[in-house]
Amino acid sequence: MARLSGEQEPIFGLGLEADMDDMATITGVTSCSRKGNSIVVEQEMIEAREYRTGIAILFGLPKIMTQAILAHEMMHVWFRSKGVEPEKLERKLEEGMCQVIGWKWLDWLESEINSSSSTTTTSHEQTQFRRKLIETYKFVVEEHDSDEYGQGFREVESDVARFGLKTTINCMINSANIDIKN
């Protein structure tokens, strides 16, 4: 997710990949908590010896936005786990599908909030606030003006509406994994 216009896209989430021939030590965050006005971050040193993929998400975003970003970034990781390398799939299509997945998460969450709002102890104001956040984030995805995130989302969402999510993803994977000889 990013802002609607402008030259520089803010980075809220990032997929991380590393091919580790030798043993490497990575610093991982195990937990974060708030104590008064301070944020306490607990870290752990992780020994890594293989190819690793990770996800980094900007700390301090609203929970709903963090969840949508995580869904988006997890789709990138899923593509890599299926052997889809970035250079084999047009970036607009990959980012578009990742945006679709983040948007679908928001859509699902919105339906959950709507169906459970009368049975939870959450105040009406909190429920309305969550609905507005979801509505805003969905709008940002739908109306984004970049080629990769915005137009990519609209093109892939059109294919998903026409052929279904599973068929669209399988088509992307199959076309990306075909070696094209020059």
Side-chain angles (χ1 to χ4, degrees):
M1 290 196 179
R3 64 182 155 186
L4 291 174
S5 63
E7 296 294 319
Q8 186 77 18
E9 297 287 344
I11 297 173
F12 295 126
L14 182 64
L16 307 170
E17 300 176 35
D19 188 5
M20 299 176 197
D21 294 329
D22 300 319
M23 181 66 78
T25 303
I26 301 169
T27 304
V29 176
T30 56
S31 70
C32 293
S33 59
R34 187 180 307 172
K35 286 189 177 178
N37 290 334
S38 300
I39 296 175
V40 178
V41 177
E42 293 182 29
Q43 298 178 339
E44 170 182 68
M45 302 306 283
I46 303 166
E47 300 268 324
R49 189 185 297 262
E50 299 173 6
Y51 186 82
R52 294 278 176 133
T53 302
I55 296 173
I57 298 177
L58 186 62
F59 182 76
L61 297 172
K63 185 177 179 180
I64 291 169
M65 187 175 188
T66 300
Q67 292 169 345
I69 293 167
L70 185 57
H72 173 110
E73 295 302 332
M74 286 175 65
M75 190 66 200
H76 284 296
V77 172
W78 189 84
F79 273 131
R80 298 303 162 269
S81 76
K82 296 298 179 189
V84 178
E85 296 301 321
E87 61 275 359
K88 292 186 177 180
L89 181 61
E90 186 182 349
R91 182 160 185 213
K92 179 168 72 170
L93 295 178
E94 182 171 343
E95 291 298 344
M97 179 54 77
C98 294
Q99 289 289 79
V100 165
I101 296 300
W103 188 94
K104 283 192 170 292
W105 168 259
L106 291 169
D107 197 48
W108 174 84
L109 188 58
E110 184 176 42
S111 69
E112 285 294 302
I113 288 171
N114 290 337
S115 68
S116 67
S117 63
S118 61
T119 61
T120 64
T121 58
T122 306
S123 75
H124 177 72
E125 291 81 18
Q126 289 173 323
T127 301
Q128 286 301 102
F129 181 73
R130 288 184 182 131
R131 282 186 184 131
K132 284 294 184 187
L133 272 178
I134 291 170
E135 181 182 310
T136 300
Y137 298 150
K138 285 173 71 176
F139 176 81
V140 168
V141 171
E142 293 164 358
E143 300 301 320
H144 201 288
D145 66 356
S146 77
D147 187 49
E148 292 163 347
Y149 293 92
Q151 191 59 33
F153 167 79
R154 289 182 286 280
E155 288 177 18
V156 172
E157 177 58 25
S158 173
D159 289 343
V160 168
R162 186 171 176 198
F163 303 111
L165 183 62
K166 186 175 182 178
T167 301
T168 305
I169 290 173
N170 286 338
C171 182
M172 292 172 77
I173 290 170
N174 293 334
S175 66
N177 285 332
I178 296 171
D179 286 328
I180 299 172
K181 306 290 183 198
N182 290 334

